[in-house]
Amino acid sequence: MILRSLTALFLALSLTLTGCSLIPEKADETRGWNAQKLYSEAKDALNDGNYQRAVELYQKLEARYPFGRYAQQAQIETAYAHYKANEPEEAIAAADRFIRLHPNHPNVDYMYYLKGLATFNEDLGLLGTISNQDLSERDPKGMRESYETFRELIERFPDSKYADDARQRMVYLTNAMARYEVHVADYYLRRGAYLAAANRAKAVLEHFPDSPAQEDALWILMQAYDKLGLQDLRADAERVMRHNFPQSAYFKGGKKGPDKPWWQLW
């Protein structure tokens, strides 16, 4: 009985495998294409917004013709395709790979620039709103990494055509990180963690001296010191604030706290 069952099982398996072998394999349309043809088709797919096909063709191009200008350009445009497809991790990985393999390439500055763009996820605010995430749970790691990438671009390639835009983005990122610290300080203040609120507000004053968030940080610092009973320190904070922001809406009672969260500034 057992032998008969095993025989039937082997027979069924054999028929299944035989059937699978009869299914024709999908033909590779790119078989026989040269490097120029592969690149041209990939470029067309990229321009048409078909980023997945573009990446597939660029990868085939690099695998079949790993040397020469087409392969290097394919690596650059693979990173760009991932970026346009909202795949920041893949874009960053592709940019890092190109920088590592071709540190002296004439277009390596673009790879730094693209990496900086991909690092900062500007959709985090929407996702945070949907998940009802507290401000203190948000991590500005992406902003810091983006800032450092743009800084490296400017230091290595000060005359790059991407340098001016990178500088402007660094200013934005600096202000955004300062706003993040202000909103965390305000979060602590509203929940009675006055020492933590004071420390985060001081961090804004120390690390982001040119940011517009200074006004909010000084106001939070005043409130935190007041709640802690540190009247001398509160008076110092108020003196600095009145000197730098004499027309502040806080003194006129027209403002109760920080404005928009940092992720709504973009």
Side-chain angles (χ1 to χ4, degrees):
M1 183 67 180
I2 296 177
L3 182 59
R4 186 179 301 173
S5 299
L6 288 175
T7 301
L9 178 62
F10 286 133
L11 179 59
L13 180 60
S14 177
L15 290 173
T16 301
L17 294 175
T18 302
C20 291
S21 66
L22 295 177
I23 299 176
E25 294 184 3
K26 184 179 179 181
D28 185 356
E29 63 172 332
T30 68
R31 185 176 298 173
W33 288 7
N34 59 24
Q36 183 177 3
K37 172 67 172 176
L38 276 168
Y39 177 77
S40 177
E41 291 292 330
K43 189 70 172 179
D44 288 344
L46 183 66
N47 292 335
D48 291 340
N50 191 347
Y51 304 120
Q52 181 178 354
R53 174 172 169 78
V55 169
E56 292 174 354
L57 292 174
Y58 284 134
Q59 289 174 344
K60 287 183 178 181
L61 168 58
E62 187 181 359
R64 296 178 189 175
Y65 308 98
F67 306 107
R69 62 186 183 91
Y70 284 116
Q72 293 180 3
Q73 190 63 28
Q75 293 171 12
I76 293 175
E77 294 180 18
T78 294
Y80 178 73
H82 283 305
Y83 170 71
K84 292 295 290 182
N86 294 319
E87 298 171 345
E89 292 183 1
E90 290 82 355
I92 293 168
D96 280 335
R97 178 172 177 263
F98 184 88
I99 293 169
R100 184 177 67 255
L101 293 175
H102 312 287
N104 299 317
H105 192 279
N107 293 326
V108 72
D109 58 334
Y110 173 69
M111 286 289 92
Y112 281 101
Y113 179 70
L114 185 63
K115 179 183 175 183
L117 294 179
T119 302
F120 180 49
N121 184 359
E122 60 190 28
D123 292 330
L124 178 61
L126 176 61
L127 296 177
T129 301
I130 294 174
S131 62
N132 210 15
Q133 186 181 35
D134 283 332
L135 294 171
S136 62
E137 297 174 346
R138 297 179 181 272
D139 184 3
K141 178 183 177 183
M143 289 190 294
R144 289 194 295 266
E145 291 179 350
S146 183
Y147 181 92
E148 289 301 318
T149 301
F150 287 133
R151 182 184 61 79
E152 187 173 4
L153 165 61
I154 292 172
E155 289 179 354
R156 289 176 176 265
F157 310 97
D159 299 324
S160 169
K161 63 181 179 181
Y162 306 106
D164 287 341
D165 187 73
R167 291 187 184 95
Q168 295 179 30
R169 291 179 183 275
M170 287 175 66
V171 171
Y172 165 77
L173 289 166
T174 297
N175 293 337
M177 288 186 284
R179 296 299 301 171
Y180 168 83
E181 294 294 333
V182 161
H183 278 277
V184 173
D186 183 61
Y187 172 88
Y188 286 136
L189 184 68
R190 288 184 285 107
R191 280 153 181 76
Y194 304 122
L195 182 58
N199 288 336
R200 297 305 281 260
K202 285 170 60 180
V204 175
L205 302 178
E206 295 171 0
H207 301 301
F208 307 101
D210 299 322
S211 169
Q214 292 268 308
E215 179 183 0
D216 295 316
L218 283 166
W219 180 257
I220 291 173
L221 195 60
M222 287 172 51
Q223 307 309 305
Y225 282 151
D226 188 52
K227 295 294 185 180
L228 291 168
L230 303 174
Q231 296 305 315
D232 290 343
L233 292 177
R234 184 198 184 283
D236 288 341
E238 182 176 356
R239 175 179 55 79
V240 173
M241 184 171 179
R242 288 189 180 278
H243 175 76
N244 290 280
F245 305 99
Q247 303 300 320
S248 175
Y250 282 113
F251 294 132
K252 300 177 182 179
K255 194 172 183 181
K256 303 299 182 182
D259 294 325
K260 292 181 179 179
W262 63 266
W263 66 89
Q264 294 179 2
L265 294 176
W266 190 268

